[in-house]
């Protein structure tokens, strides 16, 4: 069977609900809710993305990608010098108090930076154009058409089926059955996290508070 939103919705209707009249739009939204819930709770390898863009020497502000959810590392380079600025992050209120006009500062090496309104802001201009490379956890793509392929790896497609099915059961106020299905769902979720959350050592990688969240205010 094709691994698409339409196929997942049909599996929920036919294999789980056995109800051809259940609203497919509702099931589709529940599939998205399930996928979004997984993305929001874990850092898994299929969520990772790398983006690189040019930061002109005259600028102290860099617009982050629209799908960025959690920044893990930021590196500046001009082709010769490489400067990992990740640890130089400063909370934006402290940053604005200390650097009210970053663009007016003397060009030099980054001492501090912050994030605000979807931008990375450096404490001073750079002497040359730089490439800013960001390693980050991305947001899931919202599934809006039946032919779209979900973001969860295909071998764990049952997670989306069960997650949507649980939400359908709760929608129908069948909470006892929902609780029973959740046991199976959680077992499969543990397998997904074990498979895609580990690198050289076993175990999952939960969202860590010390990492840098890009907030919009």
């Amino acid at each position: 069977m094709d691994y698409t939103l339409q196929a997942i919705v049909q599996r929920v209707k036919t294999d789980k609900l056995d109800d051809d009249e259940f609203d497919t739009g509702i099931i589709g939204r529940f599939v998205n809710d399930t996928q979004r819930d997984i993305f929001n709770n874990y850092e898994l390898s299929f969520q990772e993305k790398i983006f690189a863009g040019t930061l002109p020497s005259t600028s102290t502000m860099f617009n982050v990608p629209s799908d960025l959810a959690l920044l893990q590392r930021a590196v500046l380079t001009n082709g010769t010098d490489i400067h990992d600025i990740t640890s130089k992050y400063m909370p934006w209120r402290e940053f604005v108090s200390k650097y009210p006009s970053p663009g007016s500062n003397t060009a030099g090496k980054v001492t501090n930076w912050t994030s605000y309104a979807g931008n990375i802001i450096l404490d001073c201009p750079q002497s040359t154009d730089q490439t800013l490379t960001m390693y980050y956890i991305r947001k899931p793509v919202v599934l809006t058409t039946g032919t779209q392929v979900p973001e969860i790896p295909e071998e764990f497609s049952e997670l989306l089926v069960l997650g949507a099915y649980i939400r359908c059961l709760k929608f129908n106020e069948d909470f006892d059955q929902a609780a029973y299905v959740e046991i199976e769902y959680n077992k499969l979720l543990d397998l997904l996290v074990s498979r895609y959350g580990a690198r050289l050592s076993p175990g999952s990688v939960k969202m860590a508070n010390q990492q840098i969240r890009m907030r919009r205010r």
Side-chain angles (χ1 to χ4, degrees):
M1 180 180 289
D2 292 337
Y3 185 42
T4 61
L5 173 61
Q6 182 178 355
I8 295 296
V9 169
Q10 191 59 41
R11 286 179 62 187
V12 175
K13 288 183 68 171
T14 304
D15 299 347
K16 301 300 181 183
L17 290 171
D18 193 20
D19 181 1
D20 288 335
E21 307 220 342
F22 199 99
D23 191 314
T24 57
I26 292 176
I27 299 176
R29 290 193 290 274
F30 287 162
V31 172
N32 275 294
D33 288 341
T34 301
Q35 180 167 267
R36 191 177 296 114
D37 186 60
I38 294 170
F39 267 69
N40 286 342
N41 279 284
Y42 299 94
E43 293 177 40
L44 305 173
S45 59
F46 58 84
Q47 300 169 250
E48 297 169 350
K49 191 171 179 179
I50 301 174
F51 177 86
T54 300
L55 177 70
S57 60
T58 55
S59 178
T60 59
M61 190 177 299
F62 187 95
N63 188 245
V64 303
S66 60
D67 64 349
L68 187 149
L70 179 68
L71 183 65
Q72 297 180 307
R73 190 161 295 276
V75 178
L76 276 173
T77 178
N78 60 9
T80 303
D81 298 323
I82 300 174
H83 189 195
D84 187 334
I85 65 171
T86 310
S87 63
K88 300 180 184 301
Y89 174 80
M90 176 182 286
W92 75 267
R93 286 187 175 86
E94 295 177 31
F95 182 91
V96 172
S97 294
K98 187 172 183 178
Y99 308 104
S101 181
S104 301
N105 295 334
T106 303
K109 201 168 185 179
V110 174
T111 302
N112 295 114
W113 66 276
T114 194
S115 62
Y116 190 80
N119 294 285
I120 283 178
I121 308 171
L122 308 181
D123 63 344
C124 63
Q126 302 302 287
S127 301
T128 61
D129 290 354
Q130 300 279 325
T131 297
L132 177 59
T133 302
M134 289 176 283
Y135 301 79
Y136 65 93
I137 296 297
R138 62 182 177 82
K139 302 174 185 177
V141 174
V142 178
L143 306 172
T144 57
T145 62
T147 56
Q148 281 182 278
V149 176
E151 306 274 76
I152 304 303
E154 187 275 337
E155 67 269 29
F156 288 97
S157 60
E158 184 72 7
L159 265 176
L160 296 179
V161 174
L162 294 178
Y165 179 41
I166 290 166
R167 287 168 167 81
C168 290
L169 291 171
K170 292 180 178 179
F171 180 84
N172 287 335
E173 299 186 353
D174 190 350
F175 299 109
D176 289 341
Q177 181 65 13
Y180 176 78
V181 177
E182 280 177 342
I183 296 173
E184 185 178 356
Y185 173 86
N186 287 329
K187 287 181 180 178
L188 194 56
L189 180 60
D190 286 344
L191 288 176
L192 173 75
V193 173
S194 177
R195 174 69 57 83
Y196 286 95
R199 291 194 181 278
L200 296 180
S201 60
S204 63
V205 183
K206 288 282 286 185
M207 289 289 194
N209 291 333
Q210 68 267 25
Q211 291 179 309
I212 304 158
R213 294 182 183 276
M214 306 302 291
R215 299 182 183 275
R216 303 188 185 277
R217 296 179 181 269

